[in-house]
Every structure is written in structure tokens, then in C-alpha cells.
Amino acid sequence: MRVFVTGASGHIASAVIPELRSAGHSVLGLARSERSAAAVRALGAEVRRGDLDDLEGLSAAVREADGVIHLAFKNEEMRSGDLGGAAAADLRAIETMGAALQGTGKPFVGTNGLLGLMLAGFRGRLAEQDVWPGGPRIDAENRVIALAEQGVRTSVVRLPPTVHGHGRHGFASGLIAIAQATGVAGYLGDGTNRWPATGTRDVGRLYLRALESAPAGSRLHAVAEEGIALRDIAAAIARRLGVPAAPVAPEDAGRHFGFLAAFVGLDAPASSRRTRALLGWEPAHCGLIADLLQEEEN
């Protein structure tokens, strides 16, 4: 297949694109800048310059492709506090790409974050069949799934907040940067809330399987570890940096954690049982804590 990948210079794409190419697919990667384009070319993909606001360009690229993997999101806007604006731009892009795919039967793999469902109000151990009526990024997930009724073989990969590998750790990288700046590896309250985690290479393999064989309307969980306590993540960061780990009071969360304050107290255990059974996906990368400590030892 010729696969159009948005967010092609990002962390997740650094695993997805090599998996696609190893499986014999060609890749057309969206890149916003020449620096991003160089990173996409280094992965062996062809470059399409543009961004999520270039709706005409997105439509044209999708029409040229045999399948789409949508990884891009306006993370800078989210980090600056405009999650709603970033989510709205994502939804517009999905509507545009979906319209170009209607009736084709081609695969369209979307992306969501597991923490977003907790932020919107879901509570408990999240499974693939659990859905939520709306919220930032959730509207986009639901729209992707709905395209299955319009002749598109859609699936959505829900990512944990800590996708780790290649020296990056998702939201945990933000916690590392905060600990470096403040001298404290912090967690909120007693730190017993949990985040799921998965290795980057395992996530790349799941996107490939979703593209090739996920049934239309599938929600998939890229989860290797169902839930790691935030205080354990903080302890690993503390050891890595040689700083203390300590609780942060709720009233100080915004000052200490910045944009992560909205997420750092969320309890988000998640299962991937159905995903593994459906696609035969089995994570093989080491766990998050081991990954952090391996880097500390090296």
C-alpha cells in the first residue's frame, strides 16, 4: 500500500514508518517544515509539505493513498493551554480526510489518548469497548469510528500517556523536564493514581496491524503495562536525575506541573486484552521504569 501518514516527523511516526516500510508499504509523510521534512526523508518516506490547517492538501494526499494513519495533533497549542482549539483543528482534518475516503473501503487509522477519556469524566479500568459521548479529542475518535458506516475501514489506536523509547517517554518526558527545572520529581497527592505505558516499537507494530487487518469500527489499546503508580514513575525519575521525589499539594499543581497539571492526578488503568486477541499483538519492549533506569545507568 501507499500510506499517507500525518505527524510523520513525530515520536510515534519514528516507529510507525519503519514498520510500514519493513512490511513493504511506501509512505507519504506530512511535514510542516523543512526540518520536519528532513526527518521524514531520513525514515525513507516521501514528503508532502503541509499541516492540519491545509485541508485542500490533506484531501489531495488522501486521494492519492491506499490507506491513512493519522498521528498529527497540535501539541504546541495543547501545551499552551488551548486544548479545545487543538482538538477542533484535529476534528476538521478528520472530517476532510474522511470525506475523501468515503465509499473506498480503504483503511483509516486514527489516534486518541487514554488520558483524554479520564479527563472527560470516565472512571474505572478502561477497556476497548468503553466509549464516551464527547470531549476534547473524543469527538474526533467517535467521528473516525462513525466513518465505518460510510465505507471506510476505520480504527482508532488509543495511546497511553507514556509511550517510551528512543530516549523519549511521552508525558513522562514532561515530568523529567519539570524535575530538572525544579529539582524535585513530583507527583500529586499520594501518587497512587496510575498511568498505562507501552514501548514505542510495540506501538509502531500495532499501527501496522491496524492498517492491514483491523475490522472497521475497531477501538484498539496500545497498552503493555496497565497502570504504573505516579509515585513509582517519580521515584525512577528522581533516581535518574539524582533529585528527591516528593508530593505536590493540589493547590500547587498548576505552578509546579504547568499544562500537565490537568493530567498528572488522573487514574487511568487500561486493558488491551481485546486488542491482543483481535490482532495477535503482543508487546515485547521493556517496561517504563526499566527504560528510565536503563538510561540512568548508561
Side-chain angles (χ1 to χ4, degrees), residues 142-160:
N142 292 339
R143 179 58 185 140
V144 171
I145 296 300
L147 287 168
E149 299 177 0
Q150 300 173 31
V152 187
R153 185 166 61 80
T154 59
S155 58
V156 171
V157 175
R158 291 172 171 170
L159 295 174

Side-chain angles (χ1 to χ4, degrees), residues 89-104:
D90 185 43
L91 184 57
R92 287 192 297 271
I94 287 168
E95 293 279 5
T96 297
M97 292 188 286
L101 288 168
Q102 284 184 21
T104 65

Side-chain angles (χ1 to χ4, degrees), residues 89-141:
D90 185 43
L91 184 57
R92 287 192 297 271
I94 287 168
E95 293 279 5
T96 297
M97 292 188 286
L101 288 168
Q102 284 184 21
T104 65
K106 295 177 181 179
F108 180 20
V109 186
T111 303
N112 196 5
L114 289 163
L115 284 190
L117 284 94
M118 302 303 182
L119 190 64
F122 184 87
R123 295 294 180 267
R125 181 171 175 265
L126 187 66
E128 292 90 337
Q129 69 269 26
D130 293 321
V131 299
W132 201 251
R137 299 204 74 175
I138 299 173
D139 292 334
E141 172 183 308

Side-chain angles (χ1 to χ4, degrees), residues 143-287:
R143 179 58 185 140
V144 171
I145 296 300
L147 287 168
E149 299 177 0
Q150 300 173 31
V152 187
R153 185 166 61 80
T154 59
S155 58
V156 171
V157 175
R158 291 172 171 170
L159 295 174
T162 44
V163 176
H164 58 94
H166 308 309
R168 301 172 71 174
H169 307 87
F171 278 11
S173 291
L175 296 178
I176 291 169
I178 291 166
Q180 289 173 322
T182 64
V184 174
Y187 51 88
L188 196 63
D190 64 7
T192 57
N193 62 297
R194 297 154 292 176
W195 282 0
T198 310
T200 308
R201 287 171 292 181
D202 290 323
V203 170
R205 290 192 298 108
L206 180 56
Y207 273 96
L208 173 64
R209 295 195 181 197
L211 178 84
E212 292 183 337
S213 60
S218 301
R219 288 179 168 90
L220 307 168
H221 281 190
V223 171
E225 297 176 280
E226 292 198 358
I228 307 167
L230 263 289
R231 65 186 179 192
D232 293 336
I233 296 173
I237 292 171
R239 177 174 167 181
R240 172 192 175 104
L241 299 179
V243 300
V248 174
E251 60 268 24
D252 296 327
R255 176 186 56 81
H256 186 88
F257 293 111
F259 90 94
L260 282 176
F263 304 98
V264 76
L266 294 174
D267 187 41
S271 167
S272 59
R273 182 181 61 84
R274 289 195 174 197
T275 299
R276 298 181 193 218
L278 181 66
L279 298 180
W281 175 73
E282 286 297 333
H285 195 274
C286 70

